[in-house]
Amino acid sequence: MALIITDECINCDVCEPECPNEAISPGEEIYEIDPNKCTECVGHYDTPQCVEVCPVDCIPKDPDHVETEVQLMDKYTQLTA
């Protein structure tokens, strides 16, 4: 399942450089996560790095993009091929 950044985001800029898939980018008002690139850091780290560094806890799982661990690993493999 991809992650999503909620409107509690304070635009602190710490999440974007932590994403190994470059899935995070500045949106019009807050940062956004591209669900096609987000693997929840599967294949890179044990935990999502954006969640680890977020000071306001505004990066939950995106219920609109549900994926299994296997699907996330497949996406990681495609992104890093």
Coordinates of all heavy atoms in Angstrom, one line a residue:
M1 N 0.8 -1.2 0.0 CA 0.0 0.0 0.0 C 0.9 1.2 0.0 O 1.9 1.3 0.7 CB -0.9 -0.1 1.2 CG -1.6 1.2 1.7 SD -2.6 1.0 3.1 CE -3.7 -0.4 2.7
A2 N 0.6 2.1 -0.9 CA 1.3 3.4 -0.9 C 1.0 4.2 0.3 O 0.0 4.0 1.0 CB 1.0 4.2 -2.2
L3 N 1.8 5.2 0.6 CA 1.5 6.1 1.7 C 1.0 7.4 1.1 O 1.0 7.6 -0.1 CB 2.8 6.4 2.4 CG 3.5 5.2 3.0 CD1 4.9 5.6 3.6 CD2 2.7 4.6 4.1
I4 N 0.4 8.2 2.0 CA -0.2 9.5 1.6 C 0.2 10.5 2.6 O 0.4 10.2 3.8 CB -1.7 9.4 1.5 CG1 -2.3 10.6 0.8 CG2 -2.4 9.0 2.8 CD1 -3.8 10.5 0.5
I5 N 0.4 11.8 2.2 CA 0.6 12.9 3.1 C -0.7 13.6 3.3 O -1.3 14.1 2.3 CB 1.8 13.8 2.6 CG1 3.1 13.0 2.4 CG2 2.0 15.0 3.5 CD1 4.2 13.7 1.8
T6 N -1.0 13.8 4.6 CA -2.3 14.5 4.9 C -2.1 16.0 5.0 O -1.0 16.5 5.0 CB -2.9 13.9 6.2 OG1 -2.0 14.3 7.3 CG2 -3.1 12.4 6.1
D7 N -3.2 16.7 5.2 CA -3.2 18.1 5.2 C -2.6 18.7 6.5 O -2.5 19.9 6.7 CB -4.5 18.8 5.0 CG -5.6 18.3 5.9 OD1 -5.3 17.5 6.8 OD2 -6.8 18.8 5.7
E8 N -2.2 17.7 7.4 CA -1.4 18.2 8.6 C 0.0 18.5 8.3 O 0.8 19.0 9.2 CB -1.5 17.1 9.7 CG -2.8 17.0 10.4 CD -3.8 16.0 9.8 OE1 -3.3 15.1 9.1 OE2 -5.0 16.2 9.9
C9 N 0.4 18.2 7.1 CA 1.8 18.5 6.7 C 2.2 20.0 6.9 O 1.4 20.8 6.5 CB 2.0 18.1 5.2 SG 3.6 18.5 4.4
I10 N 3.4 20.2 7.4 CA 3.8 21.6 7.7 C 4.9 22.0 6.7 O 5.5 23.0 6.9 CB 4.3 21.7 9.2 CG1 5.5 20.8 9.4 CG2 3.2 21.5 10.1 CD1 6.2 21.0 10.8
N11 N 5.1 21.2 5.6 CA 6.1 21.5 4.6 C 7.5 21.8 5.2 O 8.2 22.7 4.8 CB 5.6 22.8 3.8 CG 4.5 22.5 2.9 OD1 4.5 21.5 2.2 ND2 3.4 23.3 3.0
C12 N 7.9 20.9 6.1 CA 9.2 21.0 6.7 C 10.3 20.6 5.8 O 11.5 20.8 6.2 CB 9.2 20.3 8.0 SG 9.1 18.5 7.9
D13 N 10.0 19.9 4.7 CA 11.0 19.5 3.7 C 11.9 18.3 4.2 O 12.9 18.0 3.5 CB 12.0 20.6 3.3 CG 11.2 21.8 2.8 OD1 10.3 21.6 2.1 OD2 11.6 23.0 3.1
V14 N 11.6 17.6 5.3 CA 12.5 16.5 5.7 C 12.2 15.2 5.0 O 13.0 14.3 4.9 CB 12.5 16.3 7.2 CG1 13.1 17.6 7.9 CG2 11.2 15.9 7.8
C15 N 11.0 15.0 4.5 CA 10.6 13.7 3.9 C 11.1 13.5 2.5 O 11.5 12.4 2.2 CB 9.1 13.5 3.9 SG 8.2 14.8 3.0
E16 N 11.1 14.5 1.7 CA 11.5 14.4 0.3 C 12.8 13.8 0.1 O 13.0 12.8 -0.7 CB 11.3 15.8 -0.4 CG 11.6 15.7 -1.9 CD 11.6 17.0 -2.6 OE1 11.7 18.0 -1.9 OE2 11.4 17.0 -3.8
P17 N 13.9 14.3 0.7 CA 15.2 13.7 0.5 C 15.4 12.3 1.0 O 16.3 11.6 0.6 CB 16.2 14.7 1.1 CG 15.4 15.4 2.1 CD 14.0 15.5 1.6
E18 N 14.5 11.9 1.9 CA 14.6 10.5 2.5 C 14.0 9.4 1.6 O 14.3 8.3 1.8 CB 13.9 10.5 3.9 CG 14.6 11.4 4.9 CD 16.0 11.0 5.2 OE1 16.3 9.8 5.3 OE2 16.8 12.0 5.3
C19 N 13.2 9.8 0.7 CA 12.6 8.8 -0.2 C 13.5 8.2 -1.2 O 14.0 8.9 -2.1 CB 11.3 9.4 -0.9 SG 10.5 8.2 -1.9
P20 N 13.8 6.9 -1.1 CA 14.7 6.3 -2.0 C 14.2 6.1 -3.4 O 14.9 5.9 -4.4 CB 15.0 4.9 -1.4 CG 13.8 4.6 -0.6 CD 13.3 5.9 -0.1
N21 N 12.9 6.2 -3.6 CA 12.2 6.1 -4.9 C 11.9 7.4 -5.5 O 11.2 7.4 -6.6 CB 11.0 5.2 -4.8 CG 11.3 3.8 -4.3 OD1 12.3 3.2 -4.7 ND2 10.4 3.2 -3.5
E22 N 12.2 8.5 -4.9 CA 11.8 9.8 -5.4 C 10.3 9.9 -5.6 O 9.9 10.5 -6.6 CB 12.6 10.2 -6.6 CG 14.1 10.2 -6.4 CD 15.0 10.5 -7.6 OE1 14.4 10.6 -8.7 OE2 16.2 10.8 -7.4
A23 N 9.5 9.4 -4.7 CA 8.1 9.4 -4.8 C 7.5 10.6 -4.2 O 6.3 10.9 -4.5 CB 7.5 8.1 -4.2
I24 N 8.2 11.4 -3.4 CA 7.7 12.6 -2.8 C 8.2 13.8 -3.5 O 9.3 14.0 -3.8 CB 8.2 12.6 -1.3 CG1 7.7 11.3 -0.6 CG2 7.7 13.8 -0.6 CD1 8.3 11.2 0.9
S25 N 7.2 14.7 -3.7 CA 7.5 16.0 -4.3 C 6.6 17.1 -3.8 O 5.5 16.8 -3.2 CB 7.3 15.8 -5.9 OG 6.0 15.5 -6.1
P26 N 7.0 18.3 -3.9 CA 6.2 19.4 -3.5 C 4.9 19.5 -4.3 O 4.9 19.5 -5.5 CB 7.0 20.7 -3.7 CG 8.4 20.2 -3.9 CD 8.3 18.8 -4.4
G27 N 3.8 19.6 -3.6 CA 2.5 19.8 -4.3 C 2.1 21.3 -4.3 O 3.0 22.1 -3.9
E28 N 0.9 21.6 -4.6 CA 0.5 23.0 -4.6 C 0.5 23.6 -3.2 O 0.9 24.8 -3.0 CB -0.8 23.2 -5.2 CG -0.8 23.0 -6.7 CD -2.1 23.4 -7.4 OE1 -2.9 24.2 -6.8 OE2 -2.4 22.8 -8.4
E29 N 0.1 22.8 -2.2 CA 0.0 23.3 -0.8 C 0.9 22.5 0.1 O 1.4 23.0 1.1 CB -1.5 23.3 -0.3 CG -2.3 24.3 -1.1 CD -3.7 24.3 -0.6 OE1 -3.9 24.0 0.6 OE2 -4.6 24.6 -1.3
I30 N 0.9 21.2 -0.1 CA 1.7 20.3 0.8 C 2.5 19.3 -0.1 O 2.2 19.2 -1.3 CB 0.8 19.5 1.8 CG1 -0.2 18.6 1.1 CG2 0.2 20.5 2.8 CD1 -1.0 17.7 2.0
Y31 N 3.4 18.5 0.5 CA 4.1 17.5 -0.2 C 3.1 16.4 -0.6 O 2.1 16.2 0.0 CB 5.2 17.0 0.6 CG 6.5 17.8 0.5 CD1 6.6 18.9 1.4 CD2 7.5 17.6 -0.4 CE1 7.8 19.7 1.3 CE2 8.6 18.4 -0.5 CZ 8.7 19.4 0.3 OH 9.8 20.2 0.3
E32 N 3.5 15.7 -1.7 CA 2.6 14.7 -2.2 C 3.5 13.4 -2.5 O 4.7 13.5 -2.7 CB 1.9 15.1 -3.5 CG 1.0 16.3 -3.4 CD 0.5 16.8 -4.7 OE1 0.9 16.4 -5.8 OE2 -0.5 17.6 -4.6
I33 N 2.8 12.3 -2.4 CA 3.5 11.0 -2.7 C 2.9 10.4 -3.9 O 1.6 10.2 -4.0 CB 3.4 10.0 -1.5 CG1 4.1 10.6 -0.3 CG2 3.9 8.7 -1.9 CD1 4.0 9.8 1.0
D34 N 3.7 10.0 -4.9 CA 3.3 9.4 -6.1 C 3.1 7.9 -5.8 O 4.0 7.2 -5.5 CB 4.3 9.5 -7.2 CG 3.9 8.9 -8.5 OD1 3.0 8.1 -8.5 OD2 4.6 9.2 -9.5
P35 N 1.8 7.4 -5.8 CA 1.6 6.0 -5.4 C 2.2 5.0 -6.4 O 2.4 3.9 -6.0 CB 0.0 5.9 -5.4 CG -0.4 7.0 -6.3 CD 0.6 8.1 -6.2
N36 N 2.5 5.4 -7.6 CA 3.2 4.6 -8.6 C 4.7 4.3 -8.2 O 5.3 3.4 -8.8 CB 3.0 5.1 -10.0 CG 1.6 5.1 -10.4 OD1 0.8 4.2 -10.2 ND2 1.2 6.2 -11.0
K37 N 5.2 5.2 -7.4 CA 6.6 5.1 -7.0 C 6.8 4.7 -5.6 O 7.9 4.2 -5.2 CB 7.4 6.4 -7.2 CG 7.5 6.8 -8.7 CD 8.3 8.1 -8.8 CE 8.5 8.6 -10.2 NZ 9.3 9.9 -10.2
C38 N 5.8 4.8 -4.8 CA 5.9 4.5 -3.3 C 5.9 3.0 -3.1 O 4.9 2.3 -3.5 CB 4.8 5.2 -2.5 SG 4.9 4.8 -0.8
T39 N 6.9 2.5 -2.4 CA 6.9 1.1 -2.0 C 7.0 0.9 -0.5 O 7.3 -0.2 0.0 CB 8.2 0.4 -2.6 OG1 9.3 1.0 -2.1 CG2 8.2 0.4 -4.1
E40 N 6.7 2.0 0.2 CA 6.8 2.0 1.7 C 8.2 1.6 2.1 O 8.5 1.1 3.1 CB 5.8 1.1 2.3 CG 4.4 1.6 2.2 CD 3.4 0.7 3.0 OE1 3.7 0.4 4.2 OE2 2.4 0.3 2.4
C41 N 9.2 1.9 1.2 CA 10.6 1.6 1.4 C 10.9 0.1 1.3 O 12.0 -0.3 1.6 CB 11.2 2.3 2.6 SG 11.3 4.1 2.4
V42 N 9.9 -0.7 0.9 CA 10.2 -2.2 0.8 C 11.3 -2.3 -0.3 O 11.3 -1.7 -1.3 CB 8.9 -2.9 0.3 CG1 9.2 -4.3 -0.1 CG2 7.9 -2.9 1.5
G43 N 12.3 -3.1 0.1 CA 13.4 -3.3 -0.8 C 14.6 -2.4 -0.5 O 15.7 -2.7 -0.8
H44 N 14.3 -1.4 0.2 CA 15.4 -0.4 0.6 C 15.6 -0.5 2.2 O 16.7 -0.6 2.6 CB 15.0 1.0 0.3 CG 14.9 1.3 -1.2 ND1 16.1 1.4 -2.0 CD2 13.9 1.4 -2.0 CE1 15.7 1.7 -3.2 NE2 14.4 1.7 -3.3
Y45 N 14.5 -0.3 2.9 CA 14.6 -0.2 4.4 C 13.5 -1.1 5.0 O 12.5 -1.5 4.4 CB 14.4 1.2 4.8 CG 15.5 2.2 4.3 CD1 15.1 3.0 3.2 CD2 16.8 2.2 4.8 CE1 16.1 3.9 2.7 CE2 17.7 3.1 4.2 CZ 17.4 3.9 3.2 OH 18.3 4.7 2.7
D46 N 13.6 -1.3 6.3 CA 12.6 -2.0 7.1 C 11.3 -1.2 7.4 O 10.3 -1.8 7.6 CB 13.2 -2.6 8.4 CG 14.2 -3.6 8.2 OD1 14.2 -4.3 7.1 OD2 15.1 -3.8 9.1
T47 N 11.5 0.1 7.4 CA 10.4 1.0 7.7 C 10.4 2.1 6.7 O 11.4 2.5 6.2 CB 10.4 1.5 9.1 OG1 11.7 2.2 9.3 CG2 10.3 0.4 10.2
P48 N 9.2 2.7 6.4 CA 9.2 3.9 5.5 C 10.0 5.1 6.1 O 9.7 5.5 7.3 CB 7.7 4.2 5.5 CG 7.0 3.0 5.8 CD 7.9 2.3 6.8
Q49 N 10.9 5.5 5.4 CA 11.8 6.6 5.9 C 11.1 7.9 6.1 O 11.4 8.7 7.0 CB 13.0 6.7 5.0 CG 13.9 5.4 5.0 CD 14.4 5.0 6.4 OE1 15.3 5.7 6.9 NE2 13.8 4.0 6.9
C50 N 10.2 8.2 5.2 CA 9.4 9.5 5.4 C 8.7 9.5 6.7 O 8.6 10.5 7.4 CB 8.5 9.7 4.2 SG 7.3 8.4 4.0
V51 N 8.1 8.4 7.1 CA 7.4 8.3 8.3 C 8.3 8.4 9.5 O 8.0 9.1 10.5 CB 6.6 6.9 8.4 CG1 6.0 6.7 9.8 CG2 5.6 6.8 7.3
E52 N 9.5 7.9 9.4 CA 10.5 7.9 10.5 C 10.9 9.4 10.8 O 11.1 9.7 11.9 CB 11.7 7.1 10.1 CG 11.5 5.6 10.1 CD 11.3 5.0 11.4 OE1 11.9 5.5 12.4 OE2 10.5 4.1 11.5
V53 N 11.0 10.2 9.7 CA 11.5 11.6 9.9 C 10.4 12.6 10.1 O 10.7 13.8 10.5 CB 12.5 12.0 8.8 CG1 13.7 11.1 8.8 CG2 11.8 12.1 7.5
C54 N 9.2 12.3 9.8 CA 8.1 13.3 9.9 C 7.9 13.7 11.3 O 7.5 12.9 12.2 CB 6.8 12.7 9.3 SG 5.4 13.8 9.3
P55 N 8.0 15.0 11.6 CA 7.8 15.5 12.9 C 6.3 15.7 13.3 O 6.0 15.8 14.5 CB 8.5 16.9 12.9 CG 8.3 17.4 11.5 CD 8.4 16.1 10.7
V56 N 5.4 15.6 12.4 CA 4.0 15.8 12.8 C 3.1 14.5 12.5 O 1.9 14.6 12.7 CB 3.4 17.0 12.0 CG1 4.0 18.3 12.5 CG2 3.5 16.9 10.5
D57 N 3.7 13.4 12.2 CA 3.0 12.2 12.0 C 1.8 12.3 11.0 O 0.7 12.1 11.3 CB 2.5 11.7 13.4 CG 2.0 10.2 13.3 OD1 2.5 9.5 12.5 OD2 1.1 9.9 14.1
C58 N 2.1 12.8 9.8 CA 1.0 13.0 8.8 C 1.2 12.1 7.6 O 0.7 12.5 6.5 CB 1.0 14.5 8.4 SG 2.5 15.0 7.5
I59 N 1.8 11.0 7.7 CA 2.0 10.1 6.6 C 1.5 8.7 6.9 O 2.2 7.8 7.2 CB 3.5 10.0 6.2 CG1 4.1 11.5 6.0 CG2 3.7 9.3 4.8 CD1 5.6 11.5 5.7
P60 N 0.2 8.5 6.7 CA -0.4 7.2 7.0 C -0.4 6.4 5.7 O -0.1 6.9 4.6 CB -1.9 7.5 7.4 CG -2.2 8.8 6.6 CD -0.9 9.6 6.6
K61 N -0.9 5.1 5.8 CA -1.1 4.3 4.6 C -2.3 4.9 3.8 O -3.2 5.4 4.4 CB -1.4 2.9 5.0 CG -0.1 2.2 5.6 CD -0.4 0.8 6.0 CE 0.8 0.2 6.7 NZ 1.6 -0.7 5.8
D62 N -2.2 4.8 2.5 CA -3.2 5.3 1.6 C -4.3 4.2 1.3 O -4.0 3.3 0.6 CB -2.6 5.8 0.3 CG -3.6 6.5 -0.6 OD1 -4.8 6.4 -0.4 OD2 -3.2 7.0 -1.7
P63 N -5.5 4.4 1.9 CA -6.5 3.3 1.7 C -7.0 3.2 0.2 O -7.6 2.2 -0.1 CB -7.7 3.8 2.6 CG -7.5 5.2 2.8 CD -6.0 5.5 2.7
D64 N -6.7 4.1 -0.6 CA -7.0 4.1 -2.0 C -6.0 3.3 -2.8 O -6.2 3.1 -4.0 CB -7.2 5.5 -2.6 CG -8.4 6.2 -2.0 OD1 -9.4 5.5 -1.6 OD2 -8.4 7.4 -2.0
H65 N -4.9 3.0 -2.2 CA -3.8 2.2 -3.0 C -3.3 1.1 -2.1 O -2.2 1.1 -1.6 CB -2.7 3.2 -3.3 CG -3.1 4.2 -4.3 ND1 -3.4 5.5 -3.9 CD2 -3.2 4.2 -5.6 CE1 -3.8 6.2 -5.0 NE2 -3.6 5.4 -6.0
V66 N -4.2 0.1 -1.9 CA -3.8 -1.1 -1.1 C -3.0 -2.0 -1.9 O -3.3 -2.4 -3.0 CB -5.1 -1.8 -0.6 CG1 -4.8 -3.0 0.2 CG2 -6.0 -0.8 0.2
E67 N -1.8 -2.4 -1.3 CA -0.9 -3.4 -2.0 C -0.3 -4.3 -0.9 O -0.1 -3.9 0.2 CB 0.3 -2.6 -2.6 CG -0.2 -1.7 -3.8 CD 0.9 -0.8 -4.2 OE1 1.3 0.1 -3.4 OE2 1.4 -1.0 -5.4
T68 N -0.1 -5.5 -1.3 CA 0.5 -6.5 -0.4 C 2.1 -6.3 -0.4 O 2.6 -5.6 -1.3 CB 0.3 -7.9 -0.9 OG1 0.9 -8.1 -2.1 CG2 -1.2 -8.2 -1.0
E69 N 2.7 -6.9 0.5 CA 4.2 -6.9 0.6 C 4.8 -7.4 -0.7 O 5.8 -6.8 -1.2 CB 4.7 -7.7 1.8 CG 6.1 -7.6 2.1 CD 6.4 -6.4 3.0 OE1 5.5 -5.8 3.6 OE2 7.6 -6.1 3.2
V70 N 4.2 -8.4 -1.3 CA 4.7 -9.0 -2.6 C 4.6 -8.0 -3.7 O 5.5 -7.8 -4.5 CB 4.0 -10.3 -2.9 CG1 4.3 -10.8 -4.3 CG2 4.3 -11.4 -1.9
Q71 N 3.4 -7.3 -3.7 CA 3.2 -6.3 -4.8 C 4.2 -5.1 -4.6 O 4.7 -4.6 -5.6 CB 1.8 -5.8 -4.7 CG 0.7 -6.8 -5.2 CD -0.7 -6.3 -4.9 OE1 -1.0 -5.9 -3.8 NE2 -1.5 -6.4 -6.0
L72 N 4.4 -4.7 -3.4 CA 5.4 -3.6 -3.1 C 6.8 -4.1 -3.6 O 7.5 -3.3 -4.1 CB 5.4 -3.2 -1.6 CG 4.1 -2.5 -1.2 CD1 4.1 -2.4 0.4 CD2 3.9 -1.2 -1.8
M73 N 7.2 -5.3 -3.3 CA 8.5 -5.8 -3.7 C 8.6 -5.9 -5.2 O 9.6 -5.5 -5.8 CB 8.8 -7.2 -3.1 CG 10.2 -7.7 -3.4 SD 11.5 -6.5 -3.0 CE 11.8 -7.1 -1.3
D74 N 7.5 -6.3 -5.9 CA 7.4 -6.3 -7.4 C 7.6 -4.9 -7.9 O 8.3 -4.6 -8.9 CB 6.1 -6.9 -7.9 CG 6.1 -8.4 -7.7 OD1 7.1 -9.0 -7.4 OD2 4.9 -8.9 -7.8
K75 N 7.0 -3.9 -7.3 CA 7.1 -2.5 -7.7 C 8.5 -2.0 -7.5 O 9.1 -1.4 -8.4 CB 6.1 -1.6 -6.9 CG 6.0 -0.2 -7.5 CD 5.3 0.8 -6.6 CE 3.9 0.4 -6.2 NZ 3.2 1.4 -5.4
Y76 N 9.1 -2.4 -6.4 CA 10.5 -2.0 -6.1 C 11.4 -2.6 -7.2 O 12.3 -1.9 -7.7 CB 10.9 -2.6 -4.7 CG 12.4 -2.7 -4.5 CD1 13.2 -1.5 -4.3 CD2 13.1 -3.9 -4.7 CE1 14.6 -1.6 -4.1 CE2 14.4 -4.0 -4.5 CZ 15.2 -2.9 -4.2 OH 16.5 -3.0 -4.1
T77 N 11.2 -3.9 -7.6 CA 12.0 -4.5 -8.6 C 11.9 -3.8 -9.9 O 12.9 -3.5 -10.6 CB 11.6 -6.0 -8.8 OG1 11.8 -6.6 -7.5 CG2 12.5 -6.7 -9.8
Q78 N 10.7 -3.4 -10.3 CA 10.5 -2.6 -11.5 C 11.1 -1.3 -11.5 O 11.7 -0.8 -12.5 CB 9.0 -2.5 -11.8 CG 8.3 -3.8 -12.2 CD 6.8 -3.7 -12.3 OE1 6.2 -2.6 -12.1 NE2 6.1 -4.8 -12.5
L79 N 11.0 -0.6 -10.4 CA 11.6 0.8 -10.2 C 13.1 0.8 -10.3 O 13.7 1.7 -10.7 CB 11.1 1.4 -9.0 CG 9.6 1.8 -8.9 CD1 9.2 2.3 -7.5 CD2 9.4 3.0 -9.9
T80 N 13.7 -0.3 -9.8 CA 15.2 -0.4 -9.7 C 15.8 -1.2 -10.8 O 17.0 -1.3 -10.8 CB 15.6 -1.0 -8.4 OG1 15.1 -2.3 -8.2 CG2 15.2 -0.1 -7.2
A81 N 15.0 -1.7 -11.8 CA 15.6 -2.5 -12.9 C 16.4 -1.6 -13.8 O 16.3 -0.5 -14.0 CB 14.4 -3.1 -13.6

